[in-house]
Amino acid sequence: IFTDSICVPGFDPSLSMMTGITPINPMIPGMGLVPPPPPTDVPVVKEIIHCKSCTLFPPNPNLPPPSTRERPPGCKTVFVGGLPENATEEIIQEVFEQCGDITAIRKSKKNFCHIRFAEEFMVDKAIYLSGYRMRLGSSTDKKDSGRLHVDFAQARDDFYEWECKQRMLAREERHRRKMEEDRLRPPSPPAIMHYSEHEAALLAEKLKDDSKFSEAITVLLTWIERGEVNRRSANQFYSMVQSANSHVRRLMNEKAAHEQEMEQAKESFKNALTGILTQFEQIVAVFNASTRQKAWDHFSKAQRKNIDIWRKHSEELRNAHSEQLMGIRREEEMEMSDDDSGDNPSKKLRVDDSALAAQAYALKEENDSLRWQLDAYRNEVELLKQEKGQLFRTEESLTKDQQLQFLQQTMQGMQQVLI
């Protein structure tokens, strides 16, 4: 008898004025709004409704639809006026239970009552009955007939339930936003441990490991910026800085390897481009051969037009690829001219001198590094002797002496090489 109304309860932004909840956009998917009512200019044809105890006769379709008050938020209760005087609560339930599950009926001694439904969309079905003339049985008595007027009713229970639902929707929305913010937030940097001798010894080992160097150098930088370097820890920090410096050569080797890979990729790209250009030349040659007189005369007008378009397009692509290949070759020639020293003996001599100077500078740097390492080991030995107060030689001091002797021999060898 009744058509279901698409009435999905949604979040009301005006609730923030009453409850302080942050307003939420009701157009969010999953939060629908009550759809607009159908246009009023189209008359709705209503039929007679037969019940066991009564009959409902539809109103005149030419009359305007009965007016209703503004729908309260979360409305599940309707006011029903114009009931027959002899209408009982059972008859009212029989008529309106066709709209949906009824949770309560409050009937007045006068000719009206309030009906509360289980869901909001059932109210729309009840409003459909507004304007119907109700007649009990087949009686023509005035007390057995009446014209129904169904309207929205304000109920505190409805508003309380609606308010609780809005709070729940607001909590879910806040939770969804927080989850989205947490998902988009960049990860926090790892925590830097506090400086201690034990942690410094572990960090010194990590600095020697290529795979853990990036993490360890960050910790070392943080410690130095925090001001952990003092007279007691200076030698330990110097050793770690020296370990960091030893990675420079590894990084330069990696850079050279990557440059070699890039050169190989350039060469592969140039070879592939050359092959593509060769095929373009062959395609253009086919088109040129097709446009010669002995073949051209046998093609139709449409075929000639298509061949001409294809030829022009292929020539444009061929020229573009040719320019790109020529540009790559010009760059290689410029690099070769910059790198080539020529047959000039003075240039070659200059290059040899610069190579010797670079080698001497590298040896000097290595000599200085060894000398600094020797000083660091000496300072460590002195600190150990002062802290422990032991005059006898321990295994650690023996190891230090062996390292000192080895470093001294290495330094002497380097000095001889420099001389």
Side-chain angles (χ1 to χ4, degrees):
I1 300 171
F2 304 104
T3 57
D4 289 341
S5 172
I6 308 170
C7 178
V8 181
F11 184 75
D12 188 359
S14 63
L15 185 66
S16 59
M17 301 172 63
M18 298 176 285
T19 59
I21 300 176
T22 307
I24 299 176
N25 184 4
M27 299 308 293
I28 295 173
M31 297 184 182
L33 291 174
V34 178
T40 56
D41 54 350
V42 179
V44 180
V45 178
K46 297 183 178 182
E47 299 178 353
I48 299 176
I49 302 172
H50 297 280
C51 301
K52 292 181 181 178
S53 305
C54 63
T55 307
L56 300 179
F57 296 95
N60 187 355
N62 296 323
L63 294 177
S67 61
T68 57
R69 65 190 299 175
E70 185 180 354
R71 182 177 190 137
C75 180
K76 295 181 182 179
T77 306
V78 294
F79 165 83
V80 182
L83 292 169
E85 290 184 18
N86 294 335
T88 61
E89 189 171 322
E90 290 77 12
I91 295 175
I92 296 172
Q93 183 163 0
E94 179 188 348
V95 172
F96 283 94
E97 70 182 355
Q98 301 176 64
C99 303
D101 295 335
I102 298 174
T103 58
I105 296 178
R106 294 188 296 272
K107 188 176 183 303
S108 173
K109 293 180 180 179
K110 297 183 179 180
N111 302 336
F112 70 89
C113 70
H114 288 85
I115 303 175
R116 189 164 192 260
F117 293 96
E119 300 293 340
E120 292 183 34
F121 69 89
M122 300 174 183
V123 172
D124 297 309
K125 296 182 178 181
I127 295 294
Y128 178 83
L129 298 176
S130 185
Y132 269 82
R133 187 165 54 85
M134 182 177 179
R135 188 172 69 183
L136 304 180
S138 60
S139 174
T140 57
D141 191 357
K142 187 177 181 182
K143 294 183 178 181
D144 292 334
S145 66
R147 188 172 297 278
L148 300 180
H149 174 70
V150 187
D151 198 354
F152 301 110
Q154 280 188 337
R156 280 180 293 182
D157 294 342
D158 296 345
F159 185 74
Y160 176 73
E161 288 184 7
W162 175 81
E163 206 174 28
C164 292
K165 192 171 184 179
Q166 300 309 302
R167 288 196 180 95
M168 183 187 68
L169 291 173
R171 283 195 299 270
E172 291 177 355
E173 177 64 15
R174 285 197 299 270
H175 177 70
R176 188 192 64 79
R177 289 180 182 176
K178 186 176 182 301
M179 293 292 290
E180 187 69 14
E181 290 174 0
D182 292 343
R183 188 179 66 83
L184 298 176
R185 184 181 294 118
S188 302
I192 304 298
M193 72 287 291
H194 291 285
Y195 170 79
S196 65
E197 292 186 1
H198 174 70
E199 293 291 347
L202 295 178
L203 186 67
E205 294 298 325
K206 286 184 179 180
L207 284 169
K208 297 174 184 177
D209 190 352
D210 294 346
S211 61
K212 300 178 181 178
F213 177 71
S214 299
E215 176 188 353
I217 197 71
T218 306
V219 178
L220 178 61
L221 176 62
T222 305
W223 282 353
I224 295 175
E225 290 178 346
R226 284 180 183 173
E228 302 290 352
V229 182
N230 50 39
R231 183 174 295 178
R232 183 176 178 180
S233 62
N235 292 328
Q236 202 166 17
F237 272 99
Y238 175 76
S239 299
M240 290 189 286
V241 172
Q242 189 176 11
S243 298
N245 180 57
S246 65
H247 284 269
V248 173
R249 185 176 298 175
R250 174 181 65 84
L251 295 175
M252 293 303 295
N253 292 336
E254 289 183 5
K255 178 176 177 290
H258 289 306
E259 287 178 348
Q260 186 177 1
E261 290 179 2
M262 187 176 66
E263 292 297 329
Q264 292 175 355
K266 279 184 179 179
E267 187 67 24
S268 176
F269 174 70
K270 188 180 73 171
N271 294 335
L273 200 62
T274 304
I276 292 172
L277 188 61
T278 303
Q279 295 181 24
F280 266 121
E281 293 287 354
Q282 294 172 348
I283 294 171
V284 172
V286 168
F287 286 132
N288 291 333
S290 301
T291 55
R292 293 196 180 101
Q293 194 70 27
K294 58 183 178 181
W296 190 251
D297 292 341
H298 300 285
F299 291 119
S300 66
K301 188 175 182 180
Q303 290 172 344
R304 292 178 185 177
K305 184 177 180 182
N306 288 336
I307 291 173
D308 196 33
I309 293 173
W310 296 338
R311 180 180 61 81
K312 290 179 181 178
H313 184 60
S314 299
E315 286 179 352
E316 290 175 359
L317 292 175
R318 189 267 315 269
N319 295 336
H321 282 76
S322 178
E323 289 178 3
Q324 187 176 4
L325 186 61
M326 292 300 294
I328 294 174
R329 287 175 179 171
R330 279 196 296 270
E331 289 178 3
E332 290 180 352
E333 290 174 0
M334 289 175 65
E335 290 176 0
M336 290 178 63
S337 62
D338 291 340
D339 296 338
D340 190 11
S341 59
D343 297 331
N344 193 342
S346 63
K347 284 187 179 180
K348 190 174 289 186
L349 183 62
R350 206 173 296 136
V351 170
D352 294 341
D353 292 343
S354 62
L356 289 173
Q359 187 176 4
Y361 181 74
L363 290 172
K364 183 176 179 300
E365 287 288 330
E366 193 169 356
N367 187 19
D368 293 341
S369 176
L370 290 171
R371 189 182 294 114
W372 291 336
Q373 191 172 0
L374 178 61
D375 294 339
Y377 282 129
R378 282 176 179 168
N379 292 333
E380 288 180 8
V381 170
E382 290 176 1
L383 283 173
L384 289 171
K385 286 181 179 179
Q386 290 175 4
E387 289 176 358
K388 295 183 179 179
Q390 296 176 350
L391 299 176
F392 57 89
R393 300 170 65 85
T394 60
E395 293 181 0
E396 188 176 359
S397 63
L398 285 172
T399 306
K400 297 293 183 183
D401 289 342
Q402 292 174 0
Q403 291 176 351
L404 289 174
Q405 291 176 3
F406 173 73
L407 291 172
Q408 287 173 353
Q409 293 174 2
T410 307
M411 187 175 66
Q412 290 174 2
M414 292 297 176
Q415 288 175 351
Q416 291 175 2
V417 171
L418 285 174
I419 293 171

